[in-house]
Amino acid sequence: SSARFARVLYKIIGYVSVIFVAKLLRYFPGLEQFHLPAMLAAMWLILATEALSILENVNKLGVVLPQFLRRMLEDQVSKHSEQVPEVSS
């Protein structure tokens, strides 16, 4: 449906925006050193979020998955969503 497509489109736009902002750090004087950590954090956040979504959908199909997988991915999402590089002045 169009509502589902809009949700997916917003998610993709959000992901691309996060990666774009992390990539832009390379071009700002004084922030170059945060480029790689920000890119890695953004990529891990996206990967873990999508993996959680896949696990939820597989679980809806009735497939029993080990609980440690879900816990591990939830830990990764929370770790990388809180990981913001500090800017020293």
Side-chain angles (χ1 to χ4, degrees), residues 41 44-53 70-83:
W44 275 112
L45 177 63
I46 292 169
L47 286 171
T49 302
E50 287 304 308
L52 269 174
S53 178
R70 183 172 183 79
R71 271 188 254 119
M72 180 181 68
L73 289 171
E74 287 171 346
D75 290 345
Q76 288 295 317
V77 168
S78 67
K79 174 182 157 188
H80 290 291
S81 64
E82 295 170 359
Q83 186 178 26

Side-chain angles (χ1 to χ4, degrees), residues 42-75:
M43 297 305 289
W44 275 112
L45 177 63
I46 292 169
L47 286 171
T49 302
E50 287 304 308
L52 269 174
S53 178
I54 291 169
L55 285 179
E56 288 173 357
N57 290 333
V58 167
N59 197 25
K60 286 179 185 177
L61 293 173
V63 177
V64 180
L65 297 168
Q67 193 62 25
F68 80 91
L69 277 177
R70 183 172 183 79
R71 271 188 254 119
M72 180 181 68
L73 289 171
E74 287 171 346
D75 290 345

Side-chain angles (χ1 to χ4, degrees), residues 22-55:
K23 183 81 171 155
L24 279 179
L25 291 177
R26 168 183 275 182
Y27 303 105
F28 287 97
L31 297 177
E32 303 93 0
Q33 70 269 21
F34 300 114
H35 167 257
L36 186 58
M39 285 295 290
L40 289 174
M43 297 305 289
W44 275 112
L45 177 63
I46 292 169
L47 286 171
T49 302
E50 287 304 308
L52 269 174
S53 178
I54 291 169
L55 285 179

